[in-house]
Amino acid sequence: MLTAAQNELLTLTGPDTDMGRVFRAYWQPVLLSREIEAEGAPKRVKILGEEFVAFRNGRGEVGVVEPGCPHRGANLFFGRNEHEGLRCVYHGWQFDVGGRCIDVPTADAKVAESIKPRAALRALSVKESCGIVWVHFTDGAGEIPQFDFMGLPEDHYFVSKKLQECNWAQAAEGGIDTAHFSYLHANIEDGERAGLMPSAGANEPPELARYRWMIEDSRPRFTVLEHETGLVMCAARKADDDQLYWRLTQFMMPNHSMAPNSFPGDNHVGNTWVPIDDHSCWIYCYAYNPERPLSDQERHAFTSGFGIFSEVDDEFVPVRNRGNDYLIDRNLQRYGNFTGITGISEQDAAIADSQGFIADRTRELLGQTDLGVVRFRELMFEAVDAVRQGRPPRGSETPRSYRVRSGDAMSAEPAEALQVVQKRFGELGGVNLSVIGR
Ligand code: FES
Ligand SMILES: [Fe+2]
């Protein structure tokens, strides 16, 4: 439970807020690369409550600049994207990707030269990597976080995004809270709660049996480990024959998570929750396989909505969304799955939205399965303290510490989470791992 003041501190990320200052200490995804073409249509973007226009010039470079033309305030979203940069369509002033004014056709050459330095647009720092355009609010910021998939060949990963119509923090808490899989993502068989995959009977492999174990044990025991960049949430459930089934989730500051549900060889998936404003966020989603290219069939599945990927329209708005109650089907809820909503991603979205535009954390009753959520909040408040004291928050200056991995593991019972993580991931568990809560 949080006080009302703590809840505001956690959730509000506008320019004059403490958490807004925390977010502005990190690189953040702002667009998918495929959303803007060279000399193509500029795109309106809103991030952390501030509006910008993004465009790609004829050389392929990306600019993310304030929208108001310094001449008389026309919106550059309507601008003409020419080879050298964006030209305001009102009187023709032109700006490059760094926001510099490069042409003032309304004045003679001498006057134009005196206007240009005064007519610079505010421009964010931009870097592009693996299909994502990243921005930083500070000039000269260092490297973007080096996620596990970023060193892989292009055919090994897939990136997309989806709109979430609630505050970023409760959506992120949904990714951290893996206990909910026992209910929210359950199927219904013969009127009873059942696994997402049908049980395979004798000699069932752990890849399938895990769905049964998640149904049979709805009280996973949580241990939270801490590392240089964030947390590893370790949830242990009873499996068959005195074994434990572990789901190991990574959280990286301030808004990235990597989901469990992968044994060695499986695809890995991750999310980044980027506040648009205090009532909505973009969720960037990625899937990758460290060992092999993704198949056409897998890419097709991700594009159509599968796992953490929603079925979205051309503007990345989920087809099943807040406005249509996620097309909930009460017949499906009675006979098919626990929510009556189709799609894991849509089930997660529905329940996060249902907590309100900003969840009221002053009226919660938290328990042992919420340990990851509690530690996430503590870590965010630790970052606020750091920024208030003028120190860089955790991870913001260690981009290489983002190369961590999540997944599933089996162990004998009893077992220590720290050993399970180290055995499963080695160095990819995280640097300087230690136990902070159980
Ligand atoms: S308002 Fe943009 S050039 Fe005049
Ligand atoms: Fe979920």
Side-chain angles (χ1 to χ4, degrees):
M1 195 174 99
L2 298 182
T3 65
Q6 287 171 323
N7 201 32
E8 284 200 355
L9 186 62
L10 176 69
T11 54
L12 306 186
T13 59
D16 296 321
T17 61
D18 282 302
M19 200 57 78
R21 282 184 273 278
V22 168
F23 269 81
R24 285 165 177 77
Y26 296 88
W27 286 96
Q28 289 293 318
V30 75
L31 282 172
L32 297 172
S33 295
R34 60 182 187 263
E35 292 185 77
I36 41 173
E37 290 173 12
E39 297 182 41
K43 186 118 191 153
R44 285 188 182 100
V45 294
K46 190 171 183 190
I47 180 167
L48 303 170
E50 297 193 70
E51 291 183 5
F52 298 91
V53 171
F55 65 100
R56 191 187 292 279
N57 70 15
R59 281 188 293 281
E61 299 158 337
V62 177
V64 179
V65 298
E66 64 177 295
C69 176
H71 178 215
R72 279 175 41 208
N75 195 308
L76 292 165
F77 166 74
F78 296 101
R80 195 160 183 279
N81 189 10
E82 300 177 355
H83 189 80
E84 297 299 327
L86 199 53
R87 193 180 288 281
C88 179
V89 290
Y90 203 179
H91 314 93
W93 292 22
Q94 192 181 23
F95 306 89
D96 71 8
V97 291
R100 285 170 291 267
C101 180
I102 53 173
D103 194 17
V104 184
T106 50
D108 64 37
K110 193 163 163 241
V111 176
E113 285 315 305
S114 80
I115 289 175
K116 282 180 188 172
R118 290 180 284 135
L121 297 168
R122 176 185 180 208
L124 301 183
S125 298
V126 175
K127 286 187 199 268
E128 206 167 359
S129 175
C130 298
I132 298 173
V133 178
W134 295 75
V135 291
H136 202 293
F137 283 70
T138 311
D139 288 341
E143 273 184 86
I144 57 171
Q146 302 294 299
F147 289 116
D148 192 27
F149 73 96
M150 286 183 167
L152 294 173
E154 215 172 299
D155 55 3
H156 283 236
Y157 60 82
F158 175 86
V159 294
S160 188
K161 70 177 192 179
K162 57 191 182 188
L163 180 70
Q164 171 84 40
E165 296 177 86
C166 70
N167 183 263
W168 77 277
Q170 72 212 49
E173 286 177 352
I176 289 162
D177 157 42
T178 60
H180 73 252
F181 213 103
S182 304
Y183 279 84
L184 185 65
H185 303 311
N187 273 344
I188 301 290
E189 272 173 33
D190 300 329
E192 299 288 331
R193 211 159 38 85
L196 199 58
M197 299 286 180
S199 175
N203 300 322
E204 186 180 37
E207 302 88 84
L208 288 178
R210 64 184 162 198
Y211 296 104
R212 178 168 54 80
W213 296 328
M214 281 192 277
I215 298 304
E216 290 170 357
D217 186 352
S218 60
R219 285 196 298 274
R221 271 74 59 207
F222 271 79
T223 308
V224 181
L225 310 180
E226 181 177 20
H227 56 55
E228 197 172 0
T229 322
L231 306 170
V232 195
M233 269 70 67
C234 310
R237 285 180 168 88
K238 281 191 182 35
D240 304 330
D241 305 326
D242 293 332
Q243 294 270 298
L244 287 177
Y245 166 53
W246 294 82
R247 288 171 68 81
L248 308 166
T249 307
Q250 290 276 359
F251 170 73
M252 294 93 89
M253 285 294 293
N255 58 341
H256 315 281
S257 159
M258 291 186 59
N261 216 42
S262 32
F263 282 113
D266 291 345
N267 293 335
H268 293 267
V269 295
N271 287 307
T272 298
W273 294 270
V274 184
I276 298 170
D277 50 32
D278 294 327
H279 291 170
S280 61
C281 59
W282 286 113
I283 309 180
Y284 287 77
C285 328
Y286 54 93
Y288 67 100
N289 196 305
E291 290 155 33
R292 62 163 176 84
L294 300 175
S295 68
D296 290 346
Q297 204 180 0
E298 286 169 326
R299 280 174 198 281
H300 176 74
F302 298 148
T303 307
S304 333
F306 175 79
I308 63 162
F309 297 93
S310 279
E311 184 183 353
V312 293
D313 68 13
D314 290 346
E315 292 298 317
F316 302 95
V317 177
V319 171
R320 296 180 288 286
N321 58 45
R322 187 188 266 275
N324 58 23
D325 280 333
Y326 317 88
L327 303 179
I328 187 170
D329 175 342
R330 298 294 181 181
N331 207 40
L332 181 67
Q333 189 171 32
R334 183 164 295 269
Y335 300 110
N337 72 27
F338 201 70
T339 54
I341 294 167
T342 299
I344 301 266
S345 167
E346 287 82 351
Q347 293 161 5
D348 284 327
I351 226 60
D353 285 350
S354 79
Q355 293 172 294
F357 283 102
I358 299 181
D360 180 359
R361 292 174 180 76
T362 66
R363 296 170 61 89
E364 295 174 323
L365 293 168
L366 301 180
Q368 209 276 338
T369 63
D370 304 302
L371 190 60
V373 168
V374 170
R375 282 300 298 147
F376 154 73
R377 295 173 188 175
E378 287 170 3
L379 215 60
M380 296 309 295
F381 294 142
E382 172 199 290
V384 166
D385 286 342
V387 169
R388 280 177 180 165
Q389 291 162 20
R391 289 184 283 114
R394 186 188 290 250
S396 63
E397 294 190 352
T398 53
R400 288 175 194 281
S401 63
Y402 283 77
R403 188 154 177 266
V404 295
R405 198 172 281 179
S406 62
D408 298 4
M410 304 299 299
S411 79
E413 188 173 14
E416 287 297 323
L418 184 60
Q419 271 88 53
V420 172
V421 169
Q422 281 169 336
K423 185 164 172 234
R424 172 74 175 83
F425 302 119
E427 284 184 355
L428 291 169
V431 179
N432 301 330
L433 269 179
S434 58
V435 181
I436 51 166
R438 72 181 85 217

